[in-house]
Amino acid sequence: MTSPASSSRSTQKLTGGELARKGVHMSVGFIAFAVRFLGPLGSALAALAATLFNLLVLPRIGGKKLWRQGETARGSSLGIVLYPLAVLLLILCFWKKLEVAAAVWGILAFGDGMASLVGMTLGRSKLPWNSAKSWAGTTAYAVFGSVGCAVLLLWTAQGSGREYALGFAIAVSVAAAVLAAALESLPQGLDDNIGVPLITGLFLYCLLLTQGQGLPWAEAELWSRLGWAVGVNLALAGLGYAARSVSISGALAGFLVGTAIYVSLGWRGYSLLLAFFVLGTAATKLGYQRKAAQGLAQEGGGRRGVRHALANTSVAAACAFFAIMTPYGGLFVLAFAAAFATKTSDTAASEIGQLWGKRTFLITSLRPVPRGTEGAVSLEGTVAGILASVLVAALGVVVGLYGWSGAAVVVVAAFVGTTMESLVGATLEKRGLLDNEAVNFLNTLVGALTAAALYPWI
């Protein structure tokens, strides 16, 4: 495992050195076929050995020839270590379903590798949201990643005695590769060799849980929900735009997410989305002129765009989908509620803290800092955030999604998620390695995962 981080950098020329890098990157992917025979322990030890080798030995025996010019100037190549480290983390996270680790390794190796080659040779048309990436490179990522994912998924699963239908394996592999390509295309300062594989692996793992569950979309109840969902979300999207809460792109994204949630969990689940929207909008609009005068207000007059909408709601929408498509409906419903409670708590804490927080401290050092500083917390904001999560959690009980023990889990999960958001804001976001949308996505993901982890205890 010797490849540095790669991406569809269409602005670079395909030199001989770059071609060699990508050749190594993809060649290492063939080692993933050995996971079937090595098992969890052997695979983890091999990945650990590769990580240590790339960190300590490879640069001393000619590995620097694979470095880019900037890496040579810095005297190190982070990606050369992160690649095997990502594989190690995949194996540790999905050791009970090693086919997930192997399949995502296939996406990382073949999808990411081919994206760079195709992007550098044919990538003239750039992505609207990232001029450093191209449509050609991103498409290549999805296509070759899908192939690598499907082949390794089927191959590795057979070694564990599990079988997936060919059509099902192809479908989930395409979905996972498309997600990975979309995540990799986002402009972030943080290396994507860790975050993209882990998020993709989690998504693929959940997709595999849907095998053999049938298609609930054939039920008449879901089709009746669809009519209501379209009508309600069209109306709310229009009202949100008229109230200057969302932009056109944000209204469209909200319509799609809202429709998916309503169809999946009905009005009960949709009520939590409404609570998030109403409470979040109210907190943002509260004292807006005062916050704007201090340079603390939400940009664009408080209007949310497509990236903001998806960052805040995509985790909840995925949980709603898996709640009806897997045998673990209760777990995913709780994770769904926790995702919305976490984001509502974060928004309330941030907006109220900026408006009325008397003393703000940096969460990593407890040093007093000005309001609006990334990673800053205040007593007033923290209390407001907890109260907001309690409201969302209690609403879930009132509408019958779960009991009061579930509500307690949702509140705890929201606190964990918002605390993580402050930590990431004070470290990665402050250094420009992650933007606000990425932090929001991680915020809701951590909240959902925390609730899922606590679910067996209730």
Side-chain angles (χ1 to χ4, degrees), residues 268-291:
R268 292 177 175 82
Y270 195 76
S271 66
L272 269 63
L273 169 60
L274 288 179
F276 153 73
F277 180 77
V278 171
L279 293 174
T281 299
T284 300
K285 294 295 184 181
L286 186 65
Y288 186 84
Q289 296 302 323
R290 177 180 167 186
K291 288 182 285 188

Side-chain angles (χ1 to χ4, degrees), residues 202-203 206-207 210 317-329 332:
L202 178 62
F203 182 61
C206 292
L207 286 175
T210 67
C319 290
F321 172 78
F322 290 125
I324 64 168
M325 288 295 294
T326 73
Y328 307 99
F332 281 109

Side-chain angles (χ1 to χ4, degrees), residues 241-266:
Y241 180 76
R244 302 182 64 84
S245 297
V246 294
S247 64
I248 293 178
S249 65
L252 177 60
F255 168 78
L256 295 175
V257 169
T259 299
I261 289 174
Y262 198 111
V263 171
S264 298
L265 296 179

Side-chain angles (χ1 to χ4, degrees), residues 186-456:
L186 298 176
Q188 301 293 337
L190 193 66
D191 192 286
D192 55 21
N193 260 351
I194 296 293
V196 172
L198 291 180
I199 293 173
T200 303
L202 178 62
F203 182 61
L204 178 59
Y205 181 89
C206 292
L207 286 175
L208 294 178
L209 297 178
T210 67
Q211 181 177 233
Q213 297 304 307
L215 292 175
W217 313 108
E219 298 179 10
E221 180 185 357
L222 293 181
W223 286 103
S224 67
R225 287 182 191 173
L226 180 61
W228 282 100
V230 171
V232 169
N233 283 285
L234 276 177
L236 290 180
L239 289 174
Y241 180 76
R244 302 182 64 84
S245 297
V246 294
S247 64
I248 293 178
S249 65
L252 177 60
F255 168 78
L256 295 175
V257 169
T259 299
I261 289 174
Y262 198 111
V263 171
S264 298
L265 296 179
W267 67 269
R268 292 177 175 82
Y270 195 76
S271 66
L272 269 63
L273 169 60
L274 288 179
F276 153 73
F277 180 77
V278 171
L279 293 174
T281 299
T284 300
K285 294 295 184 181
L286 186 65
Y288 186 84
Q289 296 302 323
R290 177 180 167 186
K291 288 182 285 188
Q294 298 174 5
L296 302 175
Q298 175 78 23
E299 67 278 1
R303 285 187 183 270
R304 264 72 172 185
V306 59
R307 286 194 64 195
H308 189 94
L310 292 179
N312 290 337
T313 62
S314 59
V315 170
C319 290
F321 172 78
F322 290 125
I324 64 168
M325 288 295 294
T326 73
Y328 307 99
L331 182 150
F332 281 109
V333 165
L334 206 63
F336 163 83
F340 274 137
T342 300
K343 192 56 223 167
T344 307
S345 175
D346 172 53
T347 302
S350 176
E351 298 294 342
I352 300 302
Q354 291 175 0
L355 186 62
W356 288 318
K358 295 179 180 179
R359 301 179 66 187
T360 52
F361 304 88
L362 194 65
I363 192 170
T364 53
S365 64
L366 299 183
R367 175 173 54 87
V369 292
R371 284 181 294 174
T373 301
E374 297 296 347
V377 296
S378 67
L379 176 61
E380 296 81 0
T382 300
V383 171
I386 293 174
L387 290 177
S389 67
V390 169
L391 289 175
V392 175
L395 179 60
V397 177
V398 172
V399 299
L401 287 177
Y402 43 75
W404 285 109
S405 60
V409 167
V410 169
V411 173
V412 171
F415 183 78
V416 172
T418 52
T419 302
M420 186 285 308
E421 192 272 345
S422 297
L423 290 171
V424 173
T427 53
L428 300 179
E429 186 178 8
K430 186 177 182 180
R431 296 170 58 190
L433 298 177
L434 290 177
D435 62 17
N436 185 61
E437 281 71 24
V439 175
N440 286 339
F441 174 81
L442 290 175
N443 175 8
T444 58
L445 181 61
V446 169
L449 288 175
T450 302
L454 294 176
Y455 177 76

Side-chain angles (χ1 to χ4, degrees), residues 7-11 110-145 181 184-185:
S7 61
S8 50
R9 298 179 177 86
S10 58
T11 56
F110 304 111
D112 202 8
M114 288 303 298
S116 294
L117 296 181
V118 174
M120 290 178 187
T121 53
L122 303 175
R124 296 178 179 83
S125 180
K126 312 302 181 183
L127 298 177
W129 58 90
N130 189 354
S131 61
K133 307 291 177 70
S134 70
W135 284 109
T138 300
T139 301
Y141 192 118
V143 171
F144 288 94
E184 194 272 343
S185 74

